[in-house]
Amino acid sequence: MKLTAEEKAILAGKEGETKAKILKTLVEFGDVFGAEKFVPVTTCGHLVTSFGIGLLKPVYRIMDEIIDAGLKTPYPFTVDPRPIDYQNVKCGPLNKLIFSKIMYSEQKHYEEQLRKIGLKDGKSFTCTCYLKEVGNTPKYGDVLSWAESSAVVFANSVLGARCNRNSGMLDIFGSLLGRVPKFGLLTDEGRRATWIIEVKTKKLPEAQILGSAIGMKVMEAVPYVKGLDKFLGTELTDDVVSYLKDFGAATASNGAVGLYHIENLTPEAKKLGDKIIAEKTKKYVIDDKELERIYNSYPVMWKNKNAKPRICFIGCPHLTYSQLLSWTKKLEEGFNASGRKKVALRTIMTTSPNVLDEFKKTEEYKKLLSYGVKFSSICPLMYTNNPIAGGKPIITNSNKLRTYSKSRYYKDDDIVKIICGGEK
């Protein structure tokens, strides 16, 4: 990489040994991917590592070194959801012991470290940091140092910001240094689509299944999706943003997509049209039959495949305000059909602390509470990522949670039937 005079001085230790090591790490990272230079980070960071797992001792040592060197991020940053919430997510004594003493024994210590280097505030734990209620919303063309896959793909695709899919700690390093290596999705060429996806379904596809299909097909490539705008329109309304949030998360977790373009809808597709498509592309046609094939391919990983579900997680990534309103309506209709008044199994809706604060002001919040729904801002994956909780028959409408845990995926309509006591 070609370094500026300022960067060479940092590398030589003029601003301290720790900052020199951070710069050297990012140089080596950039060299691997053929980056020629650094570009400035222009807005707040978002960190993927939010969990104080005891085994991550090297992380805590690095954090202490950063703190001792007096380094802080130029912009306040947000971070992924916390892994535990004893108040709102039921947790038995043995499970609590595993969480507090073994798995997440360093949670309190790690959060204190985050605060010392620039954490925005105590409510900044969410995977949907880009929502207006949270306030970490990049602008078109902003350069980011993020790692959370669902946030990266949303920022790149829906907002038109620029960010590579970094790994944990590299997101911190880029935010602290205020620079990231320029390669991949930070370049014009790297943002060109190499796959054309033709959606030929009779109705709006389930976002999670459509994203899953595309992610598994294109992997880390950039898809250009045609035919979806006829269902979603050409404006990024709250409902459309919510759809794209879940769609993108599925492309990123079931594949490795960091950027997608939706014809006539997402900003770069609207601005550049077909110019955003590379000369040589592959094609993938998705119809209703293909989506059903994808859905039926998902394995059931429960020990007892016919077990009655005990927990339902809705909100991975975290639910938007409009999704909370939508789920209230869905459950109201479901209970009217079933004749029940309470959820048939433990149902937890996860959303960011800031979105939940706003939602608590509504009648819909009271209605969901009356149904027995619980709210939390945890990461469902972190909750299920242990032998006790992970072994329970958990259902979800999240393809991301399905992919990273033993949770069983259901479509939204089927989730409603199960929650409201109807038959699946």
Side-chain angles (χ1 to χ4, degrees):
M1 290 178 63
K2 297 177 182 177
L3 303 184
T4 65
E6 180 186 0
E7 289 159 359
K8 289 178 180 178
I10 294 173
L11 191 59
K14 296 296 178 64
E15 297 187 27
E17 181 184 359
T18 300
K19 198 166 185 178
K21 287 194 285 188
I22 289 173
L23 181 64
K24 182 181 179 182
T25 301
L26 291 177
V27 167
E28 292 176 349
F29 176 55
D31 282 343
V32 168
F33 292 97
E36 294 185 358
K37 63 178 182 178
F38 282 109
V39 288
V41 172
T42 60
T43 191
C44 302
H46 180 79
L47 312 187
V48 71
T49 311
S50 60
F51 37 89
I53 294 179
L55 293 175
L56 294 181
K57 292 178 181 178
V59 169
Y60 311 131
R61 288 199 298 269
I62 292 171
M63 291 289 283
D64 281 336
E65 183 176 341
I66 290 169
I67 293 165
D68 291 342
L71 299 179
K72 292 191 69 172
T73 57
Y75 303 99
F77 60 82
T78 51
V79 68
D80 262 16
R82 292 182 171 103
I84 47 181
D85 177 1
Y86 298 134
Q87 182 177 352
N88 299 299
V89 182
K90 187 178 179 181
C91 190
L94 182 56
N95 215 350
K96 188 173 182 179
L97 178 66
I98 290 175
F99 280 152
S100 61
K101 301 297 183 183
I102 302 174
M103 287 197 67
Y104 306 120
S105 58
E106 296 294 323
Q107 189 66 31
K108 185 177 180 180
H109 171 228
Y110 180 54
E111 289 189 22
E112 181 59 32
Q113 289 180 318
L114 292 174
R115 280 190 286 271
K116 289 179 179 178
I117 68 167
L119 178 65
K120 184 171 177 278
D121 55 44
K123 291 187 175 183
S124 294
F125 290 83
T126 177
C127 49
T128 54
C129 60
Y130 45 78
L131 296 179
K132 59 186 178 182
E133 293 88 354
V134 182
N136 187 357
T137 311
K139 301 185 297 296
Y140 186 95
D142 268 337
V143 175
L144 316 177
S145 183
W146 292 9
E148 159 59 41
S149 63
S150 68
V152 166
V153 72
F154 186 95
N156 276 319
S157 310
V158 183
L159 302 178
R162 297 198 168 197
C163 185
N164 284 312
R165 281 182 53 136
N166 300 308
S167 62
M169 293 309 291
L170 288 180
D171 51 6
I172 295 177
F173 290 171
S175 291
L176 287 165
L177 192 65
R179 297 169 175 82
V180 286
K182 184 180 181 181
F183 69 91
L185 298 178
L186 299 188
T187 68
D188 291 342
E189 185 61 29
R191 297 179 73 82
R192 298 184 72 190
T194 54
W195 277 83
I196 294 177
I197 312 297
E198 294 187 359
V199 176
K200 295 186 176 181
T201 56
K202 294 178 181 178
K203 63 179 182 178
L204 177 66
E206 198 103 358
Q208 300 273 0
I209 302 176
L210 178 63
S212 170
I214 293 173
M216 288 191 287
K217 176 64 73 171
V218 311
M219 295 308 291
E220 79 282 0
V222 178
Y224 186 92
V225 184
K226 296 185 175 183
L228 196 54
D229 57 313
K230 70 181 179 183
F231 301 115
L232 296 178
T234 59
E235 300 299 326
L236 293 171
T237 64
D238 288 345
D239 288 340
V240 170
V241 165
S242 297
Y243 181 95
L244 295 180
K245 167 185 72 77
D246 290 340
F247 164 79
T251 69
S253 58
N254 286 206
V257 175
L259 165 67
Y260 60 81
H261 303 292
I262 308 293
E263 186 176 42
N264 299 321
L265 180 58
T266 53
E268 283 168 287
K270 292 183 77 169
K271 181 179 180 180
L272 300 172
D274 289 349
K275 294 179 182 178
I276 201 70
I277 302 174
E279 290 184 7
K280 294 183 179 180
T281 60
K282 298 178 182 179
K283 183 183 287 187
Y284 179 33
V285 177
I286 298 178
D287 55 18
D288 294 313
K289 185 177 180 180
E290 174 65 357
L291 289 182
E292 196 62 22
R293 182 189 72 82
I294 294 294
Y295 177 62
N296 290 331
S297 73
Y298 300 150
V300 178
M301 299 180 71
W302 296 350
K303 186 174 182 180
N304 177 6
K305 290 179 170 51
N306 298 314
K308 185 176 181 181
R310 294 174 58 186
I311 307 173
C312 175
F313 275 110
I314 300 173
C316 179
H318 279 169
L319 294 170
T320 66
Y321 184 88
S322 68
Q323 284 180 312
L324 288 167
L325 295 176
S326 175
W327 273 102
T328 307
K329 184 177 180 181
K330 289 177 182 178
L331 293 190
E332 183 176 20
E333 292 172 350
F335 284 125
N336 287 339
S338 70
R340 291 178 60 100
K341 295 183 179 180
K342 294 283 187 179
V343 294
L345 73 164
R346 187 147 48 103
T347 301
I348 302 161
M349 294 188 181
T350 58
T351 187
S352 77
N354 299 95
V355 169
L356 186 56
D357 283 346
E358 292 301 311
F359 186 63
K360 284 180 177 180
K361 301 174 185 177
T362 68
E363 290 301 314
E364 285 82 359
Y365 172 71
K366 297 176 183 177
K367 186 169 290 186
L368 288 178
L369 283 182
S370 72
Y371 294 154
V373 172
K374 298 292 184 181
F375 297 93
S376 180
S377 294
I378 64 166
C379 172
L381 171 60
M382 292 296 103
Y383 174 84
T384 59
N385 193 20
N386 71 87
I388 295 181
K392 295 178 181 177
I394 298 172
I395 62 172
T396 183
N397 70 330
S398 166
N399 231 316
K400 181 174 184 177
L401 183 57
R402 175 198 70 83
T403 303
Y404 294 149
S405 73
K406 294 181 180 178
S407 302
R408 185 172 181 175
Y409 177 85
Y410 282 102
K411 299 176 183 178
D412 284 358
D413 289 345
D414 293 331
I415 286 280
V416 171
K417 289 179 182 178
I418 297 170
I419 290 174
C420 296
E423 294 294 326
K424 163 58 182 74

